[in-house]
């Protein structure tokens, strides 16, 4: 018998509302920040009310092409981001993590997946009408997808994406996406709107190009964007791909950063360390990390595997192919996919272009994919004389590391950078 | 003005008083409950040894586990920075220092100017630390000197876990009680190897550099250091006062601050 959990989506909404209220009266807050929180509020409110409104919820794992879900006017639930947001906004995930363990998710498995499983099991997030997962980039999804189908007693679809990116493999993946669309049409009773999907692909191009332009602005010294602002870019990409509100947010942000650059105004009062961020910081430490960064004059200026989009654009005239193509273009694919010299050379080039002093690798213990790259990245960065700090942590599980441990490591690292 | 460095460790607190680049005195005391009391007590003892009054004009830099909690410190610095400065003062040119303290072990890699390039540390488990060696010595009812002597007679190291202090203790007990029991020298060598392997792995993680040195209380454990040299395949420099290296580094940093202030 599983104990019923509190309504986590409601907790996210409540926290979002409070933050939005604070941001709206803060004279120093960015307009884009206000838009960002309004978007989060809209995403989770729609999710909370979906069942009551008779809407079809499609839960999907990270990197899954949610453009399909949006084009069919279904309600998406990005499972990992939902777990992060629970941690970020409530500061607490231990109950859902424990529930996940009780469902058989070992403690070594990626905590967002463990938490998501637990949250479904104890009813603290709404059960989806369908579960969609894939081997796209992250392989933990394969461990939780079927389990979620069992727990939620819902049908599911596993999207098989080939590891490499030849034309043949991309064509295979596009066929997989078509099969999944047929599956979703059967399950939801709704038809795919291919014109809408084309529009989404078109808007995604605009979104990617705006992110590229924002990153160009971040090359300036001092950097105009918040120390950990890249998480906003990441969330926008994960939750609102190809949506007009994403473009609105990014255009507003770009305008703000352009103005800050013109005024030579940095995001932190005294920029001392320009950092490259590798992987995702612990969500429950975000407020603390932001404070520490501001006090120390440290700013993340580039994230080669999260915000740095590769070359190319999507072809909106072939929307299904465009969705398949995007899965090979996403910055994360460079880290998790076939990790070749191109990815490592990109990282080195980022160091030079963004004038990086040091790199911070948040080594999420549950992510074997990323942790396997630690030594390789460290050695690669050493070639361009950039030290890398590795922080053993977990994106949501608070038992892995403490604020004190992170402070100590960060301070040692900043002293190292200062002393060079 | 005198430069004072204080290193508050989990087990002992070390204080060093310097005048310019000259070391006047050092002291080591058991760490007390309060960081302020530990630092003050160690500092006063060092002043006494130096023949100076505690009220003398001074600049205090603290480091170590409790370094930031000292209310009267002028600065607090990271242990890695202090170890690098301290060992470079003892022997310029050292590129890697292995510090094995009571409850943690740290490897610091330095550049030619004695500045930190990288580090690795281990503080999640007692294995690979001074307390682990102390606990093993107690278990076998031997002193460190006796362990060192006996280790020289070992033919091969007994298998002992290097990843978990609890498993290691059970393994030592089973080696002692098996029939026939594993020879004591082989058990001791096994214990040394379990720590050396972990330290070697940390050295490899930051990248092995020569020449290298050892600091911390375990540096006084002759048999262990010899075993570590064998494992690493390089001679290891043991400074005269290995327990106080971080405190020396802190005092040097205090001296740098004094010089900076003088230039203003």
């Amino acid at each position: 018998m599983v104990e019923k959990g509190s309504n986590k989506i409601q907790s996210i909404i409540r926290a979002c509302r409070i933050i939005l209220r604070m941001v709206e009266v803060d004279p120093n807050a960015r307009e884009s920040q206000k838009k960002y929180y309004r978007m989060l509020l809209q995403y989770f409110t729609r999710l909370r009310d979906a069942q009551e409104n008779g809407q079809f919820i499609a839960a999907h794992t990270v990197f899954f092409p949610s453009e399909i879900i949006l084009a069919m006017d279904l309600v998406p639930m990005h499972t990992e981001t939902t777990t992060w947001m629970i941690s970020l906004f409530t500061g607490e995930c231990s109950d859902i993590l424990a529930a996940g363990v009780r469902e058989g998710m070992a403690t070594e498995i990626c905590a967002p997946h463990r938490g998501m499983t637990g949250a479904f099991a104890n009813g603290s997030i709404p059960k989806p009408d369908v579960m969609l997962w894939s081997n796209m980039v992250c392989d933990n999804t394969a461990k939780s997808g079927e389990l979620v189908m069992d727990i939620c007693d819902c049908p599911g679809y596993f999207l098989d994406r080939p590891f490499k990116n030849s034309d043949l493999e991309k064509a295979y993946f596009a066929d997989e996406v078509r099969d999944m669309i047929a599956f979703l049409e059967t399950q939801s009773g709704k038809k795919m709107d291919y014109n809408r999907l084309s529009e989404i692909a078109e808007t995604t191009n605009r979104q990617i190009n705006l992110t590229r332009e924002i990153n160009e602005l971040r090359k300036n010294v001092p950097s105009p964007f918040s120390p950990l602002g890249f998480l906003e870019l990441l969330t926008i990409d994960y939750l609102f791909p190809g949506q007009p509100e994403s473009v609105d947010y990014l255009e507003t942000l770009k305008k703000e950063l352009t103005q800050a650059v013109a005024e030579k105004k940095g995001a932190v009062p005294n920029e001392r360390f320009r950092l490259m961020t590798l992987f995702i910081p612990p969500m429950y430490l975000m407020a603390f990390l932001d404070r520490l960064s501001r006090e120390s004059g440290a700013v993340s200026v580039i994230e080669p595997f999260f915000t740095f989009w590769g070359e190319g654009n999507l072809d909106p005239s072939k929307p299904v192919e465009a969705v398949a193509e995007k899965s090979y273009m996403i910055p994360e694919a460079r880290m998790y996919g076939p990790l070749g010299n191109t990815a490592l050379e990109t990282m080195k080039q980022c160091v030079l272009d963004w004038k990086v002093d040091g790199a911070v690798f948040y080594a999420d213990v549950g992510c074997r994919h990323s942790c396997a790259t630690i030594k390789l990245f460290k050695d690669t960065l050493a070639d361009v004389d950039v030290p890398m700090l590795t922080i053993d942590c977990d994106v949501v599980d608070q038992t892995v590391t403490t604020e004190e441990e992170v402070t100590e490591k960060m301070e040692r690292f900043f002293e190292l950078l200062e002393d060079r | 003005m005198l430069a004072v460095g204080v290193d508050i460790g989990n087990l002992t607190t070390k204080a060093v008083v310097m005048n310019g680049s000259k070391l006047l005195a050092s002291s080591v005391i058991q760490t007390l409950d309060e960081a302020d009391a530990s630092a003050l007590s160690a500092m006063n003892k060092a002043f006494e040894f130096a023949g100076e009054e505690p009220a003398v004009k001074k600049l205090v830099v603290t480091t170590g586990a409790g370094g930031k909690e000292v209310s009267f410190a002028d600065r607090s610095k990271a242990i890695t920075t202090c170890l690098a400065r301290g060992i470079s003062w003892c022997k310029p040119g050292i590129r890697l220092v292995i510090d094995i303290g009571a409850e943690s072990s740290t490897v610091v890699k330095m550049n030619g100017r004695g500045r930190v390039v990288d580090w690795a540390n281990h503080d999640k488990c007692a294995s690979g630390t001074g307390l682990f060696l102390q606990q093993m010595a107690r278990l076998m009812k031997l002193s460190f000197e006796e362990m060192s002597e006996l280790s020289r007679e070992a033919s091969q190291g007994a298998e002992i876990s290097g990843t978990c202090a609890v498993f290691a203790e059970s393994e030592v007990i089973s080696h002692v009680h098996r029939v026939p029991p594993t020879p004591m020298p082989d058990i001791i060598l096994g214990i040394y190897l379990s720590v050396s392997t972990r330290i070697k792995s940390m050295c490899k993680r930051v990248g092995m550099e020569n020449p290298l040195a050892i600091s911390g209380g375990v540096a006084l454990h002759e048999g262990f250091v010899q075993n570590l040299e064998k494992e690493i395949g390089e001679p290891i420099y043991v400074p005269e006062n290995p327990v106080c290296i971080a405190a020396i580094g802190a005092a040097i940093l205090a001296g740098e601050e004094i010089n900076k202030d003088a230039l203003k």
Side-chain angles (χ1 to χ4, degrees):
Chain A
M1 183 68 186
V2 178
E3 195 186 327
K4 178 106 174 86
S6 58
N7 186 335
K8 298 288 187 188
I9 304 297
Q10 185 56 37
S11 302
I12 295 175
I13 291 169
R14 202 179 301 125
C16 253
R17 274 202 196 116
I18 294 169
I19 294 173
L20 183 59
R21 248 180 263 143
M22 283 160 62
V23 168
E24 277 176 336
V25 294
D26 180 357
N28 297 318
R30 284 179 277 118
E31 188 56 37
S32 56
Q33 238 175 327
K34 295 171 193 169
K35 292 191 175 181
Y36 173 73
Y37 285 106
R38 282 183 206 128
M39 285 166 77
L40 287 184
L41 200 53
Q42 170 205 322
Y43 182 93
F44 288 103
T45 305
R46 190 175 178 218
L47 179 60
R48 182 197 61 188
D49 300 341
Q51 283 171 342
E52 212 177 296
N53 294 338
Q55 288 175 301
F56 188 94
I57 302 175
H60 66 95
T61 53
V62 68
F63 311 122
F64 194 90
S66 51
E67 292 87 351
I68 302 289
I69 302 168
L70 293 163
M72 292 181 72
D73 198 27
L74 310 177
V75 178
M77 183 204 277
H78 190 298
T79 49
E80 287 88 344
T81 304
T82 301
T83 321
W84 298 344
M85 293 296 167
I86 293 171
S87 175
L88 182 67
F89 288 118
T90 70
E92 178 56 53
C93 259
S94 57
D95 55 343
I96 57 170
L97 289 171
V101 172
R102 284 197 295 274
E103 291 301 314
M105 297 291 280
T107 49
E108 292 80 14
I109 286 177
C110 169
H113 282 264
R114 200 172 0 126
M116 162 191 77
T117 312
F120 280 131
N122 71 9
S124 47
I125 57 177
K127 291 208 161 97
D129 295 293
V130 71
M131 176 69 200
L132 310 168
W133 76 104
S134 103
N135 53 345
M136 260 183 74
V137 186
C138 164
D139 66 0
N140 278 292
T141 56
K143 298 183 181 90
S144 55
E146 284 192 27
L147 185 56
V148 171
M149 277 170 65
D150 277 352
I151 292 169
C152 300
D153 192 24
C154 69
Y157 195 95
F158 175 77
L159 193 57
D160 183 28
R161 173 185 177 272
F163 188 61
K164 289 190 175 172
N165 58 355
S166 70
D167 287 345
L168 188 70
E169 283 154 320
K170 282 181 188 169
Y172 169 84
F173 186 50
D175 280 343
E176 275 284 297
V177 174
R178 281 188 193 93
D179 286 350
M180 188 202 55
I181 291 171
F183 166 80
L184 275 178
E185 285 178 335
T186 310
Q187 294 301 325
S188 67
K190 285 198 169 189
K191 283 283 170 201
M192 166 57 84
D193 181 345
Y194 285 96
N195 289 333
R196 172 98 185 93
L197 190 58
S198 287
E199 280 168 25
I200 288 176
E202 180 102 59
T203 313
T204 303
N205 274 335
R206 179 79 189 118
Q207 195 175 334
I208 293 171
N209 283 318
L210 276 166
T211 308
R212 286 176 180 142
E213 289 163 24
I214 284 165
N215 277 341
E216 280 299 306
L217 290 165
R218 297 169 76 199
K219 281 182 180 170
N220 285 283
V221 182
S223 176
F225 199 22
S226 325
L228 296 159
F230 72 93
L231 283 161
E232 287 181 22
L233 300 179
L234 201 68
T235 310
I236 292 295
D237 177 43
Y238 286 177
L239 302 187
F240 303 92
Q243 301 305 295
E245 50 267 55
S246 295
V247 171
D248 183 32
Y249 161 83
L250 291 167
E251 277 175 344
T252 308
L253 178 62
K254 189 186 147 196
K255 213 169 127 190
E256 290 161 347
L257 300 188
T258 306
Q259 193 184 339
V261 168
E263 292 169 2
K264 296 193 185 326
K265 204 171 147 194
V268 296
N270 176 24
E271 182 178 297
R272 288 160 71 210
F273 311 117
R274 295 174 65 83
L275 303 178
M276 169 184 279
T277 303
L278 302 161
F279 218 68
I280 305 170
M283 290 294 150
Y284 57 93
L285 291 182
M286 287 313 293
F288 151 76
L289 284 170
D290 187 71
R291 195 179 62 239
L292 184 68
S293 303
R294 288 177 193 280
E295 283 169 5
S296 316
V299 190
S300 179
V301 290
I302 190 65
E303 307 74 31
F305 305 107
F306 281 103
T307 60
F308 184 74
W309 285 83
E311 296 289 312
N313 281 304
L314 308 177
D315 179 0
S317 68
K318 295 178 183 165
V320 175
E321 282 77 6
V323 161
E325 182 67 36
K326 188 192 166 194
S327 87
Y328 290 99
M329 270 173 63
I330 55 172
E332 291 88 341
R334 241 182 271 127
M335 181 182 196
Y336 286 105
L339 188 65
N341 275 338
T342 319
L344 301 177
E345 288 305 318
T346 301
M347 192 161 76
K348 283 194 209 172
Q349 196 55 47
C350 284
V351 163
L352 302 175
D353 293 346
W354 273 267
K355 301 179 188 72
V356 169
D357 299 310
V360 181
F361 194 122
Y362 293 97
D364 194 303
V365 291
C367 185
R368 281 166 289 279
H369 248 110
S370 63
C371 287
T373 62
I374 294 173
K375 182 81 169 82
L376 190 59
F377 285 1
K378 191 168 189 166
D379 291 347
T380 303
L381 289 168
D383 288 348
V384 280
D385 197 27
V386 166
M388 184 180 102
L389 168 69
T390 308
I391 296 182
D392 295 323
C393 59
D394 189 280
V395 70
V396 295
D397 188 348
Q398 302 191 22
T399 60
V400 178
T401 195
T402 62
E403 205 172 285
E404 289 72 30
E405 283 170 342
V406 176
T407 308
E408 193 185 333
K409 285 198 172 182
M410 284 286 202
E411 284 177 353
R412 281 184 191 187
F413 190 61
F414 293 151
E415 272 190 25
L416 180 159
L417 293 177
E418 199 168 33
D419 226 16
R420 275 156 68 87
Chain B
M1 191 189 276
L2 295 180
V4 180
V6 182
D7 170 18
I8 305 190
N10 291 305
L11 207 62
T12 57
T13 295
K14 289 74 67 173
V16 162
V17 180
M18 291 180 87
N19 190 355
S21 59
K22 194 177 170 207
L23 194 152
L24 301 182
S26 66
S27 72
V28 182
I29 63 154
Q30 289 289 316
T31 295
L32 309 169
D33 289 345
E34 299 294 327
D36 272 357
S38 297
L40 198 64
S41 176
M43 240 170 57
N44 287 345
K45 206 158 210 178
F47 278 128
E48 188 189 321
F49 294 154
E52 294 282 352
E53 283 301 315
V56 68
K57 220 173 166 201
K58 58 192 174 287
L59 196 142
V60 182
V61 171
T62 55
T63 189
K68 279 204 286 191
E69 290 158 33
V70 179
S71 61
F72 56 84
D74 295 287
R75 302 270 186 288
S76 169
K77 287 284 184 180
I79 192 88
T80 40
T81 313
C82 293
L83 284 168
R85 286 287 209 287
I87 202 68
S88 299
W89 178 84
C90 294
K91 194 173 172 69
I94 291 287
R95 300 294 292 271
L96 197 87
V97 58
I98 299 162
D99 181 74
I100 311 180
E103 290 183 11
S104 66
S105 41
T106 308
V107 173
V108 183
K109 184 177 168 176
M110 292 163 284
N111 63 16
R113 296 186 299 120
R115 300 295 195 259
V116 179
V117 172
D118 199 1
W119 84 88
N121 75 315
H122 161 71
D123 54 10
K124 294 275 185 201
C125 173
S127 67
T129 67
L131 271 183
F132 172 71
L133 284 174
Q134 198 175 51
Q135 179 67 12
M136 292 301 113
R138 207 173 287 154
L139 192 71
M140 292 189 298
K141 298 185 172 62
L142 294 170
S143 68
F144 276 179
E145 291 73 23
E146 287 167 330
M147 274 178 87
S148 287
E149 277 303 310
L150 277 169
S151 70
R152 294 192 180 99
E153 296 166 23
S155 53
Q156 61 170 16
E159 198 154 310
I160 290 162
S161 166
T163 53
C164 174
V166 178
F167 289 170
E169 188 170 334
S170 311
E171 283 166 6
V172 168
I173 292 168
S174 82
H175 277 297
V176 170
H177 293 289
R178 72 173 53 161
V179 183
T182 306
M184 201 65 104
D186 289 1
I187 300 176
I188 294 165
L189 184 59
I191 292 166
Y192 286 170
L193 281 169
S194 82
V195 179
S196 301
T197 311
R198 195 176 254 280
I199 300 295
K200 188 180 170 185
S201 143
M202 284 164 64
C203 293
K204 284 197 161 178
R205 217 185 310 156
V206 297
M208 196 67 85
E209 286 281 354
N210 286 314
L212 47 98
I214 187 165
S215 65
V218 174
L220 298 166
H221 201 324
E222 204 184 312
F224 170 75
V225 176
Q226 281 169 358
N227 174 263
L228 187 60
E229 283 181 324
K230 220 162 136 186
E231 274 303 296
I232 289 177
E234 294 291 341
I236 298 174
Y237 167 72
V238 183
E240 199 181 315
N241 194 355
V243 181
C244 289
I245 298 303
I248 292 172
I252 290 166
L253 288 161
E256 287 176 11
E257 290 290 330
I258 293 169
N259 291 340
K260 255 193 247 171
D261 289 347
L263 287 173
K264 275 179 194 166

